[in-house]
Amino acid sequence: MQPDPNSVDNSLMLGHVLRQAGLSRGSVADALGVSEDSVDNWCSGRSRITLEHLDKLIGLLQQRGCPSSVLSHLVTSKLREHGLADNSLSLLRPSQDEWECPYILACGNLDAELERNTRRGVVVSFTRLKALIDVLDLANQPFLPDAFVQRLVERRPPGVLLCYFPLDESHVTRCAELFNEFRIPAVFLYNRPSRAYPRQSTICFDDRAIGQAAAELLLARGHTRIGMLCFAGNPMQMARLEGYQSALQGKGISVDDALIAQVPSDRNVSTPISEYNAAYDHALERLLKDAGATGIICASSVLTVECVHRLRRMGVKWPGDVSLVSISSNTSFAQWMDPPIAMIALPAYEVGMHGGQMVRQLASAGSDATSATQSIVLGAKWLVSHNLENGSIGRPAGTTTRH
């Protein structure tokens, strides 16, 4: 039987993940109670792993220290094979902390590794209290500001860190109004102040600087036909797109709309899987064959995985045929790609650290909390480039290095 291209996880090959985790196919077969032939078929794409066996395999990989980001993408790809929406975050959420603390970190709609790094930073901010944070899980639920804040009011916390992005501006405004009404100090992570309620404390990335830094990595290697793959309508990624355009214009390169590919967000569960996949296929065909991109920037780790999945299927190699740059907070993500992917790493840890400090300051200010509000934008100095040597950035195809 020939492998079904749609069932082969070319983005993070199951066999590659098992090798990285130090697991033989025989040991996996024994642990899951199946034949080694079954594991071979899963790895080759000749058959689909059942959801029951996938759950057991994820537990096995977690025990071997496989990064949450890798597990999340692996689960996502396998759920899609079964025609299911992405519920992987609920499977990979960190365990609840044993210590009690009235401060609440409200999490939802975040990449697993992004959330974990953010949470580590928050924990550092609360170390001197000798307590960690209570976690309120908002994933896979519709975000209704009134209902959400009511849940918090019932807990009567001295402060809240809202870790949910990107929120619609109307949601930010309504939440800010309710927090103020109930006098709950709150800090919005990964969101900017709303224009209607500008005095809400927030921390976010300078997404424009992020997009510019990613483009500059490729420009430095001689690329001028640089493509950008991003989620349509995502405000953070639209800002990264602006930074990409600014970098090109700074080098006197005209922005070509044919090199900008926007696809539907994977968070939109109403989008049929077939439509979602077709949009990615069309985007990569357009960038490589129609627009002649020699380098591609993927505006998130999810986009990177989807891009790599299709490049392998098309027989396109990196960095030989095309150079790749990923924007992600998952610093462990690139090493699990083969070859590794160059990355602009986002400072999720620092977001959590500053957020924890801010909410403590707001809680200490009491009735003066409104005057203590502030907004922080973490700019280019916080960005770190990873895996550039022997990675996914080369010179444009067809050019040679001058000596």
Side-chain angles (χ1 to χ4, degrees):
M1 181 186 300
Q2 291 297 316
D4 176 1
N6 291 317
S7 68
V8 179
D9 179 18
N10 282 320
S11 56
L12 287 171
M13 292 290 287
L14 180 56
H16 176 64
V17 173
L18 296 182
R19 289 193 298 273
Q20 291 288 333
L23 291 169
S24 67
R25 298 185 182 186
S27 64
V28 171
D30 292 340
L32 272 58
V34 299
S35 68
E36 190 168 343
D37 285 342
S38 294
V39 180
D40 286 337
N41 288 335
W42 297 339
C43 293
S44 64
R46 285 190 291 268
S47 65
R48 295 175 178 175
I49 184 172
T50 67
L51 296 182
E52 178 185 0
H53 288 128
L54 175 62
D55 184 54
K56 293 180 180 179
L57 177 60
I58 292 300
L60 185 62
L61 289 169
Q62 284 179 316
Q63 293 174 10
R64 303 291 294 208
C66 186
S68 297
S69 56
V70 175
L71 296 178
S72 179
H73 295 307
L74 182 62
V75 171
T76 297
S77 65
K78 297 307 175 186
L79 288 176
R80 285 181 182 149
E81 288 177 12
H82 291 273
L84 300 176
D86 177 9
N87 293 314
S88 58
L89 290 180
S90 62
L91 302 177
L92 301 171
R93 202 155 293 285
S95 60
Q96 293 282 342
D97 296 307
E98 298 178 357
W99 297 335
E100 294 183 358
C101 178
Y103 289 89
I104 291 178
L105 174 67
C107 302
N109 226 18
L110 282 173
D111 179 279
E113 190 83 0
L114 177 70
E115 181 183 311
R116 185 174 69 174
N117 290 341
T118 303
R119 192 165 178 235
R120 284 175 174 168
V122 173
V123 168
V124 167
S125 296
F126 288 99
T127 299
R128 292 185 180 180
L129 298 179
K130 296 184 179 179
L132 300 185
I133 46 180
D134 184 14
V135 177
L136 180 62
D137 183 4
L138 302 177
N140 304 315
Q141 301 177 34
F143 191 90
L144 303 174
D146 292 72
F148 161 67
V149 175
Q150 185 59 46
R151 290 172 63 189
L152 291 181
V153 171
E154 293 171 358
R155 307 274 283 276
R156 297 188 180 279
V160 173
L161 290 126
L162 180 58
C163 195
Y164 197 109
F165 82 79
L167 285 177
D168 181 271
E169 182 160 313
S170 63
H171 284 156
V172 175
T173 300
R174 182 56 181 157
C175 279
E177 292 172 345
L178 291 168
F179 284 136
N180 184 60
E181 178 183 344
F182 291 104
R183 299 186 180 279
I184 299 177
V187 177
F188 287 68
L189 308 183
Y190 304 108
N191 286 274
R192 295 180 181 274
S194 71
R195 285 167 289 187
Y197 205 93
R199 295 192 65 81
Q200 180 61 48
S201 292
T202 60
I203 300 180
C204 62
F205 304 135
D206 185 343
D207 287 290
R208 201 172 189 278
I210 290 168
Q212 183 169 339
E216 288 172 349
L217 288 179
L218 291 167
L219 289 168
R221 298 303 298 271
H223 292 268
T224 58
R225 300 294 294 171
I226 300 173
M228 181 79 168
L229 184 63
C230 53
F231 286 136
N234 182 302
M236 299 172 71
Q237 295 191 18
M238 292 302 98
R240 293 171 190 175
L241 178 59
E242 290 178 4
Y244 149 86
Q245 294 170 326
S246 176
L248 294 181
Q249 292 166 348
K251 293 293 186 178
I253 301 172
S254 299
V255 176
D256 186 348
D257 289 341
L259 287 166
I260 300 172
Q262 300 186 38
V263 294
S265 171
D266 66 329
R267 305 298 185 190
N268 185 359
V269 295
S270 64
T271 302
I273 297 298
S274 58
E275 181 179 329
Y276 180 82
N277 288 331
Y280 272 104
D281 292 339
H282 175 71
L284 268 297
E285 289 276 348
R286 175 186 168 192
L287 287 176
L288 293 172
K289 296 185 178 180
D290 298 339
T294 62
I296 297 177
I297 300 168
C298 300
S300 74
S301 56
V302 172
L303 288 164
T304 304
V305 170
E306 295 289 358
C307 177
V308 168
H309 172 50
R310 283 154 180 82
L311 292 182
R312 287 189 185 276
R313 185 187 296 176
M314 295 165 66
V316 176
K317 299 180 179 180
W318 67 91
D321 299 321
V322 65
S323 293
L324 296 179
V325 175
S326 175
I327 297 173
S328 176
S329 70
N330 305 340
T331 53
S332 59
F333 172 78
Q335 72 183 51
W336 288 79
M337 304 298 283
D338 185 20
I341 303 297
M343 176 193 303
I344 297 294
L346 308 182
Y349 178 92
E350 286 76 11
V351 166
M353 181 178 66
H354 287 297
Q357 294 169 352
M358 285 173 66
V359 78
R360 287 174 62 184
Q361 292 170 1
L362 290 172
S364 300
S367 60
D368 296 327
T370 301
S371 61
T373 59
Q374 58 179 311
S375 293
I376 295 177
V377 178
L378 298 181
K381 73 175 183 178
W382 296 98
L383 303 179
V384 178
S385 301
H386 286 271
N387 293 323
L388 297 184
E389 295 183 6
N390 301 318
S392 58
I393 299 181
R395 295 185 61 80
T399 64
T400 57
T401 303
R402 295 181 180 179
H403 296 282

